[in-house]
Amino acid sequence: MKIAIDGPAGAGKSTVAKRIAKQLRFTYIDTGAMYRALTWNAMQKGIDLNDTQALTALAHSIDIQFQFTPEQQRIICNGYDVTSVIRSPEVSAAVSIVAAQTQVREVMVKAQQQMAQHLDVVVDGRDIGERVLPDADFKFFLTASLEERVARRQLDLINQGYQVDIESIRQDIIQRDRMDMERETGALKILPDSIVIDTTGLSIEEVCAQILTIIEEGGHAI
Ligand code: DC
């Protein structure tokens, strides 16, 4: 079974996807982490983030692995554990530039499809229902108000030990929404078969319960 979860930054996708995967004993694939790892690696190497050719070559050669422990998932890039560093404000600010490039996306989408092949998966991202898993059994689109998404991102960053300014988080989210929705390929959008869940004011538990009910009942929005 394949479950796609798309939506904008801060809608709660990864937390929800992780829990749903655990509950169903499926594999969780965090595609945002893959674009983040690529961006981190490009920055490490001093690659110009607008150089599509260099980024595409890097996307072909990069080794990204997910390691599962009972508590969490670690992301290993070329042998380094990049789980924390890919969430830094520097990578967050740069990743949309990398993810906007069509050729880079083609390589990443293929890698994601290969990972998902032959597995029961929950995959989250922006273009999962449309590009990565167009035949997914369920396509969820999670959303939430801008203010709630800003507050969640602020809490995430504080928990990771970052000093944060709420206005710069808001601007970062607005900017990423715009880039994610307006790019040429793989743009974030609600599909005709998306099941939309507005998570504003809902706890993680409530969102997961809604999703699991929909899956159990075979695919109708509540
Ligand atoms: O979900 P996230 O914030 O970790 O995603 C990081 C960036 O990667 C975000 O700017 C959107 C982009 N992304 C994408 O373009 N396609 C995906 N399937 C997943 C993420």
Side-chain angles (χ1 to χ4, degrees):
M1 187 187 281
K2 315 269 184 229
I3 298 172
I5 303 187
D6 289 305
K13 297 184 303 293
S14 61
T15 314
V16 167
K18 240 176 257 168
R19 290 223 190 171
I20 299 285
K22 195 169 175 193
Q23 187 95 9
L24 298 171
R25 296 172 192 272
F26 285 12
T27 302
Y28 166 51
I29 301 176
D30 177 353
T31 63
M34 296 173 72
Y35 286 98
R36 285 173 180 272
L38 178 65
T39 304
W40 171 80
N41 196 213
M43 290 165 90
Q44 286 287 104
K45 289 179 181 263
I47 292 174
D48 173 355
L49 298 183
N50 291 299
D51 183 343
T52 300
Q53 256 189 322
L55 284 173
T56 307
L58 188 66
H60 275 294
S61 66
I62 198 169
D63 176 41
I64 300 173
Q65 313 255 358
F66 291 103
Q67 270 182 7
F68 302 94
T69 70
E71 299 80 40
Q72 57 175 332
Q73 175 174 289
R74 315 286 314 167
I75 295 121
I76 313 296
C77 176
N78 295 339
Y80 292 97
D81 186 333
V82 297
T83 313
S84 298
V85 75
I86 60 168
R87 308 274 159 208
S88 68
E90 293 76 18
V91 172
S92 295
V95 61
S96 286
I97 302 169
V98 172
Q101 299 173 43
T102 301
Q103 282 171 273
V104 174
R105 297 196 69 83
E106 280 169 9
V107 181
M108 298 300 272
V109 166
K110 274 204 191 100
Q112 292 154 10
Q113 288 172 331
Q114 266 163 16
M115 275 187 191
Q117 230 182 5
H118 312 307
L119 290 174
D120 289 321
V121 284
V122 180
V123 186
D124 79 341
R126 304 294 190 287
D127 58 343
I128 310 306
E130 189 187 27
R131 301 259 163 174
V132 180
L133 301 174
D135 298 327
D137 300 271
F138 296 93
K139 297 180 183 179
F140 292 98
F141 188 99
L142 298 195
T143 183
S145 70
L146 177 64
E147 283 320 306
E148 181 137 344
R149 295 194 286 128
V150 170
R152 288 177 189 167
R153 192 59 82 174
Q154 183 185 27
L155 195 65
D156 270 0
L157 288 168
I158 289 172
N159 287 338
Q160 289 167 55
Y162 288 106
Q163 292 266 349
V164 288
D165 160 44
I166 193 140
E167 191 46 40
S168 68
I169 297 176
R170 183 179 294 114
Q171 288 315 316
D172 174 57
I173 288 190
I174 291 171
Q175 163 85 352
R176 284 213 282 151
D177 280 357
R178 197 172 53 74
M179 291 188 73
D180 288 345
M181 287 187 284
E182 291 178 2
R183 65 170 166 248
E184 242 169 66
T185 44
L188 175 65
K189 61 168 89 82
I190 296 174
L191 305 168
D193 51 350
S194 295
I195 300 167
V196 180
I197 298 181
D198 184 348
T199 70
T200 312
L202 297 182
S203 67
I204 304 284
E205 289 74 20
E206 288 169 324
V207 178
C208 291
Q210 271 200 30
I211 290 182
L212 289 168
T213 304
I214 292 168
I215 293 171
E216 276 162 23
E217 291 180 353
H220 301 290
I222 295 173

